[in-house]
Amino acid sequence: MIGICIPAHDEEDLVEACLHSVLTAAAHPDLGGEAVKVVVVLDCCTDGTAALVAKWPVVALSVDAHNVGRARAAGARHLLHHQARWLAFTDADTCVAPDWLAAQLSLSADVVCGTVEVDSWAAHGLQAQAARSRFEASYQDREGHRHVHGANLALSASCYLQAGGFDARECGEDQALVDRLEALGAHIAWTARPRVLTSGRPFSRVEHGFAGAIRLHPAQALR
């Protein structure tokens, strides 16, 4: 069985598009009909996220963590308990490609670190073009990149357990896990093949997450 884990905190505007995309990926013919279980980890949601998720054929797991590392770990534990052999992680503000899972598994790697594509820069307002240019000048959306994103990360269940899973971090839990896997000698595919489209919003629930990384700060805007 393949498992997909999606942490969510107040994502009522975006979660249904995410779920539509992952369920489409779960039905890809190259998976040969293998079962896919999707777990949405509802971390302290106060909006309509839980009610929306309840409409979909996925598992809704509620936690009181205020912590994305703990939320991802909770989802992974559930999937491992149900005998998942492969764990794929994305975020509730992200849509995955129809061949997302198939592309991961085709690489025959222990770990798959994919890239992300920003859906729109419009939320950055007058700084949109400058923020986009700065991001594209430094980001490597290609084979052999060295980026780590929880929105596009997958690995075998055995490697996840060997590395001790996700730390209880508010940010950087994905990088810390991959660092441990690399130290353990895992075969890591640094690839742009499994595609995801993630929110380009400049502010999110995690201060030092992807939104903060792509946001143009005042000193940069003056350059």
Side-chain angles (χ1 to χ4, degrees):
M1 186 262 284
I2 299 167
I4 301 176
C5 174
I6 308 167
H9 173 64
D10 291 349
E11 292 288 4
E12 63 181 5
D13 293 335
L14 300 171
V15 69
E16 288 196 287
C18 172
L19 292 177
H20 179 268
S21 73
V22 298
L23 290 173
T24 298
H28 195 280
D30 286 356
L31 298 181
E34 183 172 0
V36 178
K37 182 181 285 290
V38 180
V39 175
V40 180
V41 185
L42 301 165
D43 187 5
C44 303
C45 292
T46 59
D47 65 354
T49 302
L52 293 172
V53 170
K55 300 177 182 179
W56 292 80
V58 302
V59 175
L61 187 65
S62 294
V63 299
D64 183 14
H66 290 284
N67 183 290
V68 69
R70 289 175 61 191
R72 288 197 205 278
R77 280 195 302 273
H78 180 92
L79 292 166
L80 291 169
H81 178 74
H82 286 84
Q83 308 303 311
R85 69 175 183 91
W86 185 255
L87 301 174
F89 298 88
T90 191
D91 291 335
D93 66 342
T94 300
C95 290
V96 307
D99 67 344
W100 182 59
L101 292 171
Q104 293 169 7
L105 293 168
S106 72
L107 295 163
S108 300
D110 299 321
V111 186
V112 177
C113 292
T115 55
V116 299
E117 184 178 352
V118 175
D119 62 355
S120 171
W121 295 90
H124 294 255
L126 295 176
Q127 296 182 357
Q129 186 54 53
R132 178 176 182 171
S133 296
R134 183 176 68 91
F135 173 73
E136 292 180 348
S138 59
Y139 195 75
Q140 299 178 342
D141 190 357
R142 59 169 177 77
E143 298 302 298
H145 69 85
R146 297 290 292 185
H147 305 298
V148 176
H149 301 287
N152 196 1
L153 176 65
L155 68 164
S156 69
S158 58
C159 276
Y160 180 85
L161 290 169
Q162 184 182 14
F166 287 107
D167 295 335
R169 297 185 181 214
E170 294 182 358
C171 185
E173 78 294 341
D174 44 7
Q175 182 71 61
L177 176 59
V178 173
D179 286 346
R180 291 198 300 277
L181 288 161
E182 191 167 24
L184 288 168
H187 173 202
I188 302 176
W190 301 93
T191 178
R193 287 176 57 187
R195 303 299 299 175
V196 306
L197 194 64
T198 198
S199 171
R201 60 190 177 190
F203 296 95
S204 69
R205 282 61 173 167
V206 180
E207 175 60 27
H208 300 293
F210 185 70
I214 66 173
R215 187 169 66 246
L216 198 65
H217 298 276
Q220 296 165 330
L222 293 174
R223 293 176 185 172

